[in-house]
């Protein structure tokens, strides 16, 4: 049984040691980074090691839950619920369907030479935080899910409906494991009642004029596509250039498209977000929110001018992430290419994004192709029991935070489930200030130990409230 004075206490904890921090530290030390240079066996080894580590760290979950590998990069746990709701395969599948808690354990590369305070894969525990790649994205969120499940199992808790835990190992690359998991749910005619993945978080100031802490719950996500620009020409000696070289043509194309941003529009989710914050704002912030809610077009233009996250809320964004061309300093290149990573706003599409790029470039000599296209997802409702359940769990873990809906700007594995599970949301119950959010995919990624405990409280509240 759990220590009644420590409701989140893990059965393996030692007195005087913060077990959650220690277990996350061990997760960070497993380098689950995609390595294109490794052979197939070596490339998979860290991922298999991580899945084995979960079995070691959470013995009750691995003894009492059904466990199934899905591809070589994913694991699916099933926690059977009480039989009253059924298994989700009947005609009322949505009402009786399971809860699905998701996270991923692959991480993007990190190098100590980039300036990390502590080596990125050492899992150092210092200054009240666990430091290292993946502590926020997404091993920390995975850790608090498992901590909550392990604690409830130790209590003898049985959920009223089935609970599935899905952990994938390729979200940062091609998301093939999650695609396979979603297909498995559809094959088994399981329609989840609620799906929860990473995406939103508890933030100190979601926008410059909102000064209240907020639990940002993603109700959908932007689409994405890589637009590849290519140009060709005659190779030759750089001493006798003639006309636009492929590199110069590409440079002009990139300059043109970056000078012509996508149109700004305030979507209904952003309006609801503003309306949610307005009663809790004060002074000029409240006036700004009231104005933005009443005048959506004015709001769209104002947010677009702010740039960053604010602009990304109201328009499709474009970032030039790759440029290549040429083989030597004194040789005219025969070809050049540029990659534009686009994040597509609700109401737009992959096709409309490509049309915008083509019109902005105004050059038929530049070829355009696309890779990894994903349309924006549908929007999950906010007037249902599932969203209220998430709000209540967030309030229990972070009493000072206002729970509000928003559109997740980055891509997640959840998009594969939202195609058939309408109540799909994105919220990792960890607190992240501006510096921490900037460290995701950057330098000095870290999570506070206090936030990890709050994250466990969120999930235990959610599971008890089903």
């Amino acid at each position: 049984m759990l220590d009644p004075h420590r409701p989140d206490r893990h059965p393996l904890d030692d007195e005087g040691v913060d077990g959650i921090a220690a277990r996350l530290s061990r997760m960070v030390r497993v380098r689950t980074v995609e390595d294109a240079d490794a052979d197939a066996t070596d490339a998979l080894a860290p991922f298999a090691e991580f899945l084995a580590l979960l079995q070691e760290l959470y013995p009750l979950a691995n003894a009492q839950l059904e466990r199934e590998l899905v591809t070589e990069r994913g694991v699916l746990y099933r926690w059977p619920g009480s039989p009253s709701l059924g298994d989700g395969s009947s005609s009322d599948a949505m009402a009786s369907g399971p809860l699905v808690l998701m996270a991923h354990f692959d991480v993007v590369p990190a190098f100590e030479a980039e300036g990390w305070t502590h080596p990125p894969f050492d899992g150092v525990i210092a200054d009240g935080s666990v430091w290292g790649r993946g502590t926020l994205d997404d091993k920390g969120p995975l850790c608090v899910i498992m901590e909550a499940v392990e604690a409830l199992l130790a209590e003898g808790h049985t959920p009223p409906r089935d609970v599935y835990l899905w952990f994938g190992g390729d979200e940062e690359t091609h998301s093939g494991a999650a695609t396979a998991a979603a297909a498995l749910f559809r094959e088994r005619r399981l329609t989840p009642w609620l799906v929860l993945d990473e995406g939103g978080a508890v933030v100190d100031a979601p926008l410059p004029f909102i000064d209240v802490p907020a639990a940002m719950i993603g109700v959908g996500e932007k689409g994405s596509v890589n637009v590849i620009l290519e140009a060709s020409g005659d190779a030759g000696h750089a001493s006798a250039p003639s006309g636009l070289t492929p590199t110069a043509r590409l440079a002009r194309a990139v300059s043109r498209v970056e000078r012509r941003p996508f149109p700004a529009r305030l979507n209904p989710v952003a309006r609801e977000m503003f309306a949610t914050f307005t009663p809790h704002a004060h002074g000029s912030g409240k006036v700004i929110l009231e104005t933005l809610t009443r005048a959506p077009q004015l709001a769209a233009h104002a947010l677009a001018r702010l740039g960053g996250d604010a602009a990304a809320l109201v328009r499709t964004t474009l970032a030039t992430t790759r440029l290549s061309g040429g083989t030597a300093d004194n040789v005219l290149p025969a070809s050049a290419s540029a990659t534009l990573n686009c994040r597509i706003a609700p109401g737009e599409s992959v096709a409309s994004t490509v049309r915008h790029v083509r019109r902005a470039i105004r050059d038929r000599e530049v070829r355009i192709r696309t890779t990894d296209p994903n349309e924006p997802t549908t929007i999950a409702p906010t007037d249902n029991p599932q969203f209220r359940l998430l709000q209540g769990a967030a309030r229990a873990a972070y009493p000072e935070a206002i729970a509000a809906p928003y559109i997740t700007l980055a891509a997640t594995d959840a998009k594969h489930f939202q195609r058939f599970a309408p109540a799909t949301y994105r919220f990792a119950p960890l607190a992240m200030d501006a510096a921490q959010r900037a460290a995701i995919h950057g330098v000095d990624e870290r999570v506070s130990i206090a936030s990890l405990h709050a994250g466990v409280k969120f999930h235990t509240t959610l599971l008890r409230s089903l």
Side-chain angles (χ1 to χ4, degrees), residues 106-124:
D106 60 315
V107 299
V108 297
F111 305 95
E112 191 172 352
E114 294 171 328
W116 286 72
T117 301
H118 303 285
F121 293 103
D122 280 9
V124 170

Side-chain angles (χ1 to χ4, degrees), residues 43-336:
L44 285 172
F47 300 88
E49 180 185 351
F50 186 88
L51 294 178
L53 179 63
L54 289 185
Q55 292 180 285
E56 175 192 339
L57 295 180
Y58 302 103
L60 295 181
N62 281 279
Q64 298 183 37
L65 274 57
E66 300 169 10
R67 182 179 182 272
E68 177 181 5
L69 293 178
V70 181
T71 77
E72 296 174 305
R73 294 291 184 91
V75 63
L76 182 67
Y77 289 93
R78 175 177 175 258
W79 187 1
S82 59
S84 58
L85 283 175
D87 63 1
S89 60
S90 64
S91 59
D92 60 344
M94 182 60 186
S96 61
L99 165 67
V100 181
L101 299 177
M102 300 176 61
H104 68 87
F105 54 91
D106 60 315
V107 299
V108 297
F111 305 95
E112 191 172 352
E114 294 171 328
W116 286 72
T117 301
H118 303 285
F121 293 103
D122 280 9
V124 170
I125 302 171
D127 303 318
S129 296
V130 183
W131 297 67
R133 177 62 83 224
T135 49
L136 293 174
D137 183 19
D138 189 37
K139 292 178 179 177
L142 186 157
C143 176
V144 298
I145 291 172
M146 290 300 290
E147 295 286 329
V149 170
E150 192 80 358
L152 290 173
L153 287 170
E155 285 183 355
H157 179 78
T158 299
R161 64 175 73 238
D162 283 5
V163 174
Y164 285 85
L165 313 178
W166 164 252
F167 304 138
D170 58 7
E171 189 272 349
E172 300 289 2
T173 50
H174 50 76
S175 199
T179 302
L184 195 65
F185 272 72
R186 301 190 79 164
E187 177 185 316
R188 295 174 181 175
R189 298 186 179 181
L190 287 168
T191 302
W193 181 74
L194 168 62
V195 177
L196 183 63
D197 195 9
E198 63 166 340
V202 178
V203 299
D204 49 1
L207 290 170
F209 45 82
I210 299 176
D211 56 2
V212 295
M216 305 300 295
I217 301 174
V219 295
E221 68 183 56
K222 299 177 83 171
S224 61
V225 65
N226 293 315
V227 179
I228 315 298
L229 310 182
E230 297 172 321
S232 301
D234 295 327
H237 200 287
S239 63
S242 177
L244 277 178
T245 63
T247 48
R249 187 177 293 279
L250 259 295
R252 185 178 70 179
V254 168
S255 177
R256 284 176 173 176
V257 77
E258 291 196 344
R259 288 201 308 265
R260 185 177 173 183
F262 289 81
R265 300 184 182 92
L266 193 69
N267 59 67
V269 177
R271 295 185 71 175
E272 184 176 352
M273 178 185 72
F274 294 148
T276 301
F277 285 126
T278 299
H280 306 279
H282 304 282
S284 60
K286 186 169 187 176
V287 173
I288 292 172
L289 285 170
E290 290 174 340
T291 303
L292 294 180
T293 304
R294 289 195 307 265
Q297 199 54 42
L298 173 64
H301 288 301
L303 291 170
R305 291 176 66 87
L306 288 174
D309 286 353
L313 285 173
V314 295
R315 65 162 40 128
T316 295
T317 59
L318 177 150
T320 304
T321 55
R322 292 175 182 262
L323 291 168
S324 64
T327 57
D329 292 345
N330 61 348
V331 175
L332 297 177
S335 63

